[in-house]
Amino acid sequence: MSTLPLDGVLVVDLCQFLSGPYASLRLQDLGARVIKIERPDGGDLSRRLYLSDTEIGGDSTIFHAINRSKESLALDLKRPDDVTALKTLLGRADVMLQNFRPGVIGRLGLDYEAVKALNPGIVYASITGYGEEGPWVQRPGQDLLAQARSGVMWLNGDEQQGPVPFGLAIGDMLAGAAVAQGVLAALVQKGRTGIGAHIETSLIEALVDFQFEVLTTHLNDGRRPPRRSEFRSAHAYLSAPYGVYQTTDGYLAIAMTPLGKLKDLLGLEALAAYAEDPKSWFGERDAIKRIIADRLAAATTDHWLSVLEPADIWCARVLDWQELMASEGFKALDMLQTVTREDGVSILTTRSPLRVDGQRATTGRAAPLIGEHSAAIRKEFGL
């Protein structure tokens, strides 16, 4: 694409790991130029955060995924000259991102008020684990630990399992997405008024917001605790048949569906006792799900799709990654791209989830080496 909405916007990213770099990735996908500040001796710690035994060009796959197409400027923030160089760069920037533990950025002399004095129109974004106040402030702001404190683990899995964490770093990604949204709003304000803003969120705030639907229910129904289904649970607050069911050759997901209609389509007279009583669909959901599960286990997924989809039942085959990649639906989205680096590193990764004017942005540049762009950036900005 020749022009993207954030073309010309300069983002200086002082973040490590996932939450902040996820925010800058989203901004980069919309056209922003992202200069990543890294320590000369090792760089971003996520370069060595391995999700598997796969290493590409000396760095982990997660680093490549989250930092594609960014530039790397190596600075040692314990050196006064490098701090001065960073401040010069921030004086020219539109956006600064940081996810240091509370108090650290102030000790570096790079808190919002200090940076605002250098650049009054700066959009400054901060991500922490648990905010700036309270007893958790100095606790490690790590995704699993934030999930543990957020209550979200009691919504996953079956009732007898105990707390079940998500299999993804959802706190990091949700906080990063929230900050990207806030930065975009602040850039609109800056465009109208010339005034920047300080955007703040934390992993715990993002995780609480993630639960807004069910928390609102909890807060207004006598504060009853969530109760997951004991069998085929998929949502602690939704009734049968909502869940995932095994067939002879795979799994089938069924969403919100009137039981009377499902009774007729599946030939399940055992559901007649529940079909006309919607309250029982929640109160007796384990018994109902077992009846449905026994029936679906008797035939293939294709067979049940041929019965249910023509009747407009909300259902879907459960795909693994290989099946997803092979599907025509995924191919039509064109969500993958190969990015490369001048040292020969090549990695197949995802593309932006956004389309602008009907097109999805493509980039050909892989995540940088530590300080790969230091000389060019210093020359350009006179650092």
Side-chain angles (χ1 to χ4, degrees):
M1 300 178 67
S2 57
T3 303
L4 284 165
L6 297 185
D7 185 43
V9 172
L10 176 60
V11 177
V12 177
D13 183 1
L14 279 71
C15 301
Q16 296 196 91
F17 290 116
L18 186 56
S19 60
Y22 184 78
S24 63
L25 178 68
R26 295 279 73 90
L27 299 173
Q28 184 272 139
D29 279 337
L30 287 168
R33 177 184 181 184
V34 178
I35 296 179
K36 182 177 181 65
I37 308 301
E38 296 192 83
R39 296 176 305 152
D41 57 339
D44 186 334
L45 293 174
S46 73
R47 287 181 180 272
R48 299 179 297 283
L49 181 62
Y50 293 99
L51 302 184
S52 71
D53 57 1
T54 301
E55 179 182 283
I56 301 176
D59 296 312
S60 69
T61 53
I62 187 175
F63 179 83
H64 280 285
I66 205 73
N67 290 292
R68 55 178 166 77
S69 293
K70 300 175 186 177
E71 300 170 47
S72 175
L73 171 61
L75 296 175
D76 182 352
L77 298 185
K78 295 180 181 179
R79 290 170 48 92
D81 288 351
D82 279 3
V83 173
T84 298
L86 177 57
K87 288 181 176 180
T88 300
L89 181 61
L90 290 172
R92 304 262 303 269
D94 298 291
V95 179
M96 172 182 153
L97 304 175
Q98 66 90 11
N99 65 350
F100 289 99
R101 190 176 293 193
V104 174
I105 198 72
R107 291 195 293 273
L108 292 171
L110 295 168
D111 58 289
Y112 174 56
E113 293 302 326
V115 175
K116 182 182 177 182
L118 299 170
N119 183 347
I122 193 81
V123 174
Y124 185 112
S126 302
I127 303 174
T128 59
Y130 309 102
E132 297 286 345
E133 298 179 351
W136 295 342
V137 166
Q138 294 302 322
R139 301 288 187 182
Q142 192 275 336
D143 188 274
L144 182 67
L145 308 184
Q147 284 192 48
R149 292 185 171 101
S150 74
V152 74
M153 291 187 183
W154 294 101
L155 301 175
N156 304 321
D158 297 337
E159 181 65 19
Q160 68 272 16
Q161 284 187 271
V164 178
F166 278 82
L168 294 167
I170 58 166
D172 281 326
M173 289 184 282
L174 289 166
V179 155
Q181 182 180 12
V183 165
L184 293 174
L187 286 172
V188 171
Q189 172 183 280
K190 180 181 177 181
R192 292 199 325 266
T193 68
I195 300 172
H198 185 191
I199 305 299
E200 299 176 86
T201 195
S202 65
L203 304 190
I204 195 72
E205 289 168 282
L207 286 165
V208 168
D209 177 68
F210 185 48
Q211 302 171 82
F212 77 101
E213 291 178 290
V214 293
L215 269 177
T216 300
T217 297
H218 170 72
L219 293 170
N220 292 278
D221 72 350
R223 303 206 176 197
R224 290 179 292 172
R227 183 181 178 277
R228 298 164 293 178
S229 177
E230 294 179 0
F231 180 76
R232 296 291 178 191
S233 181
H235 194 298
Y237 282 84
L238 290 180
S239 60
Y242 197 93
V244 174
Y245 300 87
Q246 191 167 7
T247 66
T248 58
D249 64 350
Y251 291 87
L252 181 70
I254 301 179
M256 290 77 74
T257 299
L259 280 187
K261 190 172 183 180
L262 203 60
K263 172 184 76 72
D264 295 337
L265 289 168
L266 298 180
L268 281 173
E269 286 305 314
L271 291 181
Y274 310 104
E276 303 304 321
D277 180 15
K279 288 185 178 181
S280 72
W281 302 357
F282 186 87
E284 301 296 329
R285 61 183 171 179
D286 289 327
I288 294 169
K289 286 182 177 184
R290 285 189 168 90
I291 292 169
I292 296 169
D294 287 344
R295 183 76 175 103
L296 295 179
T300 65
T301 302
D302 277 339
H303 170 76
W304 294 122
L305 288 172
S306 72
V307 172
L308 299 175
E309 285 188 325
D312 198 28
I313 298 297
W314 291 4
C315 59
R317 181 193 307 276
V318 177
L319 305 179
D320 60 24
W321 282 343
Q322 287 185 331
E323 292 168 322
L324 169 67
M325 302 297 172
S327 69
E328 292 304 315
F330 179 76
K331 291 176 183 176
L333 296 174
D334 195 18
M335 282 286 294
L336 301 180
Q337 62 184 347
T338 298
V339 292
T340 58
R341 201 166 61 195
E342 60 185 36
D343 62 350
V345 163
S346 178
I347 184 169
L348 181 63
T349 187
T350 57
R351 296 173 65 190
S352 169
L354 300 175
R355 287 169 299 221
V356 179
D357 296 330
Q359 296 185 58
R360 193 186 311 280
T362 300
T363 180
R365 197 172 72 230
L369 295 164
I370 300 170
E372 179 179 349
H373 306 93
S374 291
I377 292 170
R378 285 180 177 275
K379 181 179 179 180
E380 177 183 355
F381 292 95
L383 307 183

